[in-house]
Each structure stands twice: as C-alpha cells, then as structure tokens.
Amino acid sequence: MKKICVVILLTFFLSVNLLALDLTLKQAKEIALQNYPAYLAKMEELKSAQSGRWNAYTSLLPSASLNASQTRYAPGQIIGMNKADKLNAYGVSITQPIFNGGKIWLGARMQEDMVKISKEDLRMKKLETLAGVESQYFSVLQNQQLMKIAELDLGSSKTNLEIAKAKYDAGLLSKGDYLQIQAEKTNKMVSVLQMKNLYQTSKMNLLSYLQIGNIGAIERIDSTNYTELLQHLQNLSISEIDSISNRFVQYGTEHNPAISMSNIAINTNKKLLVMAGGNFLPSINLSYSKNWIKYDFMSDYDDSESITISASLPIFPIVDNVTSYTQAHHDLKKSQYNYKYTEDAVVTGIKGQFLNLVSYANSIIASKASRAQAGETYAQMKERFSQGMVSANELNSTQTLYLSTQNQYVQSLYDFLGARSALLQQIGTEEDIILQIIEKNK
C-alpha cells in the first residue's frame, strides 16, 4: 500500500513539473498579449468601432422600403361605381439624402476618428501591458537574486558561528561575542524567510498578470546586453543630457499614443462644430416611390410613381441650434487645452524617465565597485576574526556592509531596467531604440 502511495505521489509531482512552463521575457510578453483581459478588452473595443464606422458610411447610401397592405370592406361597400370587398396595395420607396447640413458625411468622418482613437488606445494598452510584464518579470528576478544573496549570507553566518563556537570552546572568545554571532545568524534566517515570501508573492503576481497556472524556471536577464548603453550613459554632462533628452522628447511627441489621441479628439470636435453650424442649413432629400393597387373587381393592378425633392429649413426653436453651436465651440477649446496638458505631461514624463535612466546607470557602476570593495574587506575580516585579531562586532559590521552593497547592486540593476522600460513606454514604442537615439545625438 505504501509503495502505491509513493508511486502516486511521484506521478503527481512529475506531472506538475511537466506542466510547469520555463519562461523567458519574450514568451511572457507573448502570453500577456494573448491572455491579459484589459488588452483583450481594448481589441474588442476597436472591433466595435470598426463596425460602427461601416454603419456610419452606409448612412450615405439610399434607403429603400417595401410595403404591402390589404383592406377589407363591409359587404356592399361602393367604391366608385362598383362594389368592393377588398383592396390589395403594394409599394416601394427609395430615399437618397442629398444634403443634411453635412451631418451624415461628418458623422461618418467622426466615426473614422473613433476608429483611429481606438487603434491608438489599443497601442497604448499594448505598451502598458508590455511594460507591466517587464515590471512583474523583473520583480521576480530581483527577489530571486535577493533571496539567493540572503541564503549565501546565512551560509556565511553559519560558518562564522562555527568558527566562533570553536574559539569559545577553546576560551579564545568571550560569551558576549559568541552570542552576538549567534544572534546575527538568527537574524539572517529571518531575512531568508522574508525574501522567500517576497519571491513567492512576486511570482504569484506574475502568474496572475499572465493568466496562467504555473511556471518553471525563469530566464535571467543578461546584464552584459546593456554594457554599451551603460557606457554611453556614464559621465554625461548636463548639456549632453539636455540634448539627448530633447531628442527623446521629439520622438515621443511624434509617437506617443496619448498625444495622438488628443490630436484626433481636436479634429473630431472641429467636425462637431461644423455639424452644429449645419443645423442652420436646409435639409434636402430625393425620394422615389412606386405603388400598385387592385380592388377585387379590377382585372389588373393600377400603378403610380413619383419623384420628389424635399427641402426643409429649421426656423424654431432657433435657440437650441445656437446653444448647440456654442457648446461645440467650448468642446473644441476644451480638447485643445487637453492636448496641451497631455503633451506637457508626456514631455515631463519622458525627461523624468531619461534622468532616472542616467541616474540608475551611474548607480550600477558605483554599487558594483562598492560591492567589490566590501567583498574584499569582508573576506579580510573573516580571516582576521579566525585569527582573533578583530571582534565579533567588527565582523558583523563588515558582513552587513557587504550584504548591503550586494542588495544595492541588484536594486540598481532592476531600477535601471524598469526606467528603460518606462522610457520606451513614454516615447510610444515597443522597440529597443534607446541606444539608437542616444548615438544619433553624437
């Protein structure tokens, strides 16, 4: 029985591992674009707008209708000179709008603008989704690395405790120093548990974002891929930062979807203003109709046809048309102010993200050097502690400093990657063109 249970458990764990998906950043992005509900909702919104566009254009075409009726009369009813029991009538009518103050054509063009806005909105959501994937993915990797650093730090504390115990047993170390080393190891165990919890939480957040059940190994980011970019960002002067930042702004104002949507909104409101002005103009329609009637006493149908051109000019209430025009004018001014506000916000965001990128790039260089120096100092302190040349407090201080520099390097690296992702989102592209834009400035 025990063997059967063991086999079942092994089969279960093997099946879970087989279902677990080894994930790369590229795969994560592809999965998000297939599963992320907010992005899928925007795709449906675009399809809806496209359907509405076709509906608007069909309004330009003539409308046609068929009608049929049968009338039954009371017995002995006289129609003309004859008795009639019933009347059959059929007809067809076609109406073609010729001019309606531009409402139909402008309505179709406005629906075209709605399609353009939906496309830009979808593109913005795509950029947001991809940036979100990177943020969640980087969070998992960052916490994974911090967890490993904490585990290595715990291992080092265990080694220090073994050395301290040997020295304490030999009478070469005071009880206070020994307890201090022991307490430090306990603190490291707590830190490891905390980092494991953070790692698992970030992993669950990524799973939720991708709408998948399980993942296996997550491919690490090769930081050497950004060596050239880091070199370009180091030691930039203030004038160089301003010049490069302006180039990013120029690209962003041309490609950012929020700016594009605000610009389209201005064009839409211009059409609304023209449409409101069209309320003062006449409406002209061309109609054609043909009808057939036949009483039961007739041998064949009588037919008639007519062509009508009708025009109507609104007179009252004129106040409604005036207020509609005024409202459309204010809506246009509002959209122009919104465009300026959006443009300013995008420009500020681009400049801010580029400054963050430069700052984090320099932070990576500084923290990498600090990590190397602190690691060397800690290695020397461990050796001197084993020889009884330094106290437990000094050893713990250098170990804490070394841990801090390791964490700082990891934090700087992923802050840099996050700023890079945010900058690409702000300038409105999913292509990694940051280095290309920087090099063009030189």
Side-chain angles (χ1 to χ4, degrees), residues 287-303:
S287 300
Y288 169 80
S289 64
K290 186 165 185 176
N291 298 284
W292 295 266
I293 63 170
K294 179 179 180 297
Y295 291 97
D296 56 329
F297 58 78
M298 296 171 60
S299 61
D300 202 356
Y301 281 90
D302 281 344
D303 63 312

Side-chain angles (χ1 to χ4, degrees), residues 322-375:
V322 173
T323 54
S324 295
Y325 185 83
T326 303
Q327 181 181 358
H329 174 74
H330 290 307
D331 287 340
L332 175 58
K333 297 293 291 183
K334 175 185 173 183
S335 64
Q336 291 171 337
Y337 287 127
N338 283 338
Y339 175 84
K340 181 67 173 119
Y341 174 81
T342 301
E343 186 180 46
D344 289 345
V346 169
V347 169
T348 302
I350 291 173
K351 289 184 175 181
Q353 290 300 340
F354 180 67
L355 288 175
N356 287 339
L357 192 71
V358 174
S359 175
Y360 293 137
N362 286 291
S363 179
I364 287 175
I365 305 303
S367 60
K368 189 175 183 179
S370 297
R371 183 184 63 173
Q373 294 169 359

Side-chain angles (χ1 to χ4, degrees), residues 136-137 262 278 293 419:
Q136 298 290 345
Y137 192 93
S262 294
I293 63 170

Side-chain angles (χ1 to χ4, degrees), residues 21 23-24 31 33 47 89 115 129 178 199 211 245 270 285 317 322 331 339-340 364 407 418 422 428:
L21 174 67
L23 198 65
T24 67
I31 292 171
L33 293 179
K47 293 176 183 178
V115 172
T129 301
Y178 174 67
Y199 170 65
Q211 299 285 298
S245 179
K270 286 180 179 178
N285 295 285
V322 173
D331 287 340
Y339 175 84
K340 181 67 173 119
I364 287 175
N407 290 341

Side-chain angles (χ1 to χ4, degrees), residues 191-205:
S191 296
V192 168
L193 292 175
Q194 290 175 337
M195 289 314 306
K196 283 184 177 180
N197 182 57
L198 281 175
Y199 170 65
Q200 291 298 331
T201 300
S202 59
K203 196 172 180 180
M204 286 189 295
N205 290 336

Side-chain angles (χ1 to χ4, degrees), residues 42-99:
K42 291 297 180 183
M43 290 185 67
E44 295 302 321
E45 188 176 306
L46 173 59
K47 293 176 183 178
S48 175
Q50 289 172 333
S51 297
R53 175 181 59 185
W54 289 115
N55 289 337
Y57 277 115
T58 55
S59 298
L60 297 170
L61 302 175
S63 59
S65 62
L66 292 171
N67 57 79
S69 65
Q70 185 178 85
T71 305
R72 291 188 173 273
Y73 299 103
Q77 180 75 42
I78 302 297
I79 302 296
M81 300 295 294
N82 300 290
K83 291 183 180 180
D85 293 327
K86 65 178 180 179
L87 167 67
N88 293 325
Y90 304 93
V92 59
S93 61
I94 301 173
T95 302
Q96 172 65 60
I98 298 176
F99 181 76

Side-chain angles (χ1 to χ4, degrees), residues 248-267:
F248 277 107
V249 167
Q250 180 183 357
Y251 186 94
T253 51
E254 294 173 359
H255 296 86
N256 184 278
I259 292 179
S260 297
M261 285 191 291
S262 294
N263 188 44
I264 296 169
I266 291 176
N267 294 329

